[in-house]
Amino acid sequence: MEESVWEEIIQVNAAQAAFIIQPYKNGYVIYSRATGKSFIVGSVIDDNVRQMPRGVTTLAQATYGQALTKTLPSSFKMLEMLGYKRWDPKTRIGDYVVCRTPPDGWYRPYEHLMSYEHCITFSNGHCLYILTQDGNSRGPNADYNITDEALTLNKQQFDQEVAPTNRGNEHIFGKKSPNPILKHHGNTFLSSMPYTPEQKWLLEPAKYYEEERGIRLFDVWNKIVRLQMQLIDAKMNNDVKLFKEIWNETIRLRQTITPFVSKDGTLFILGSIFDNIANVGMNYICNQYKVMDKLSFMIEILNYMVEKIDSCYYQLDERHIYYNATNDSFIQDFAENNNYDWKSLANNNDSRRDLDCAPNQPIEITCDWGSSASFMEVAQSRSFDFVTKQLSKDPIDNNINEFFVKRDEEDDIMINALIDKFCNYYQHHINKTAIYYRDKYGDAHRANNKKTYNQIAVERMEKHGWIVEQRTHAGIEPPQHDKYLLWANILAEKDERYPKKRFNGSKCKYTLISMNNTRVIEDSQGKFTKDKRSERNHAILPEEATHFGDCVDKRIWTKYNGLLKSSGNFVDVRI
């Protein structure tokens, strides 16, 4: 090795290597948690800086806060592993500056920029320009685009505002240049598995697997996930022979869906935590399996592909109920006050970051004490529609957050852990009044404790300094048929007497998955009810799939069932 060459060994896992080594123009990276998406973002930035000096890469995100707190901290951690250093004005040493004019003597991008307020600029003139759909969504002419957390994008808005700007410097880097770069004017989209109909555009590019090689990618992938669930059970039961057999079968199946680039330069790739097992270890995977409910584990850790079922109990559609809301003003002030310290931005996470959380208003919560895990929905009503970004004359019922814990050996630990999660996240909430909608099953007395679940939960909240106002509904559980009609009227938005319903799409991920995967069936009397059967075959999600929906049901029924009775609407509603 030459003495003037600096060399650093950086290890990559299978999922990262499979993506990095393949030449592509448009990449779609659908990876689970702990797979290494941030490494890929950093590697794409590094590649663009090196290949396109003085070029512009847009980083398109749903919100500015999302970019500052989720994408950039972990991506620049990887870049610093490669040797990148932030510019120090005292020593005048460094490779990049954040949200400020570059130092004198540095190259500038070919594209003239009026302001560097939303830019991270490198010493060779390459610029990472932060675009957000709730603010500066129209940037300069660009050479490439990266979007992390792509499932939070409004795709239509992206196509109208971001995609047209990806058109710069064709004569320098593109087809008209002496040395054209394949990836010029391309995109890299990174995401966890989509879970709402609006997000399914991220999966559409995968169709080339079947068109070009006859591979039914998602059928094979979900089969692998189900085998991995059995693999974990075998590991926890110390069944070495079964573990080895399943492991070999997952490897065989994975080889049948080896990633490749399509004829038009598209690379679509799936990955899960098992691709990173050399780093995280099997024990970590087993521990996550123990502490998470089965549904969340399958989707978040193993990247299970969920499709909206037919005959859904909740008549959700694509037009009106999901939104993203980060308090970008708070996040930007925090970033500036901490000199854009990536570690501080990544670790500072509480309700002050949430634009849809009004700190001076009470918070509504509902718990569902399940057989294997317990769940909590968090809600507030606001006279503002976070979907349309318009004021509303009537309050809109928003689901703003969710929490869950898996049952431990001692029930009290589970209850306290769930309440502590809520209280820690909302520790800076000014109006510490909680409207607590009681789960009637949580009122049952148990042999090993004189106190009920609800009593323990309320006392725990009061210990944290909260004032708890309890609400309850008549009967043990809301009547399924009438509740189905109430939901149908609310979601139709055709009767002004009923409230509008909205969900924070990034904070209430499993609530939406639960609601989209709850079947409706008719009982022997012809009335609608939820299909709460557990997993009887590979196509049905675990029993836990209905729990977050049950949380939402209890509060909605308790709060609004009088509207159904007053409207006299007890006929079947078909929308």
Side-chain angles (χ1 to χ4, degrees), residues 355-371:
L355 190 64
D356 57 346
C357 178
N360 293 308
Q361 291 182 203
I363 293 180
E364 302 179 48
I365 62 173
T366 314
C367 296
D368 185 272
W369 308 112
S371 59

Side-chain angles (χ1 to χ4, degrees), residues 222-345:
N222 277 356
K223 185 176 181 179
I224 292 172
V225 171
R226 291 189 292 271
L227 283 171
Q228 288 170 341
M229 293 291 286
Q230 298 174 31
L231 185 77
I232 296 169
D233 287 335
K235 173 66 175 178
M236 297 177 69
N237 293 329
N238 293 317
D239 192 332
V240 178
K241 181 180 178 182
L242 180 60
F243 181 92
K244 185 177 180 180
E245 291 175 354
I246 297 174
W247 180 270
N248 290 336
E249 178 63 9
T250 61
I251 292 176
R252 185 193 69 80
L253 286 173
R254 191 64 189 271
Q255 290 173 344
T256 68
I257 56 172
T258 299
F260 67 98
V261 179
S262 72
K263 295 176 182 178
D264 66 355
T266 297
L267 173 60
F268 183 94
I269 187 166
L270 294 168
S272 80
I273 196 170
F274 274 95
D275 292 301
N276 198 28
I277 193 170
N279 292 320
V280 300
M282 192 66 194
N283 287 337
Y284 174 83
I285 297 174
C286 291
N287 287 336
Q288 293 299 305
Y289 180 82
K290 292 176 183 178
V291 301
M292 297 179 71
D293 73 278
K294 189 180 292 185
L295 172 66
S296 305
F297 181 84
M298 289 175 68
I299 298 169
E300 194 76 3
I301 303 298
L302 301 184
N303 216 23
Y304 186 81
M305 201 278 278
V306 182
E307 289 189 285
K308 187 177 184 297
I309 62 170
D310 296 326
S311 303
C312 187
Y313 184 88
Y314 305 92
Q315 298 178 36
L316 304 172
D317 57 35
E318 303 180 17
R319 63 189 165 93
H320 67 295
I321 63 173
Y322 316 123
Y323 66 85
N324 293 292
T326 59
N327 189 344
D328 286 354
S329 296
F330 170 80
I331 293 172
Q332 188 164 2
D333 288 344
F334 180 89
E336 291 175 353
N337 292 337
N338 288 273
N339 194 29
Y340 291 91
D341 179 72
W342 300 129
K343 186 175 181 180
S344 298
L345 282 166

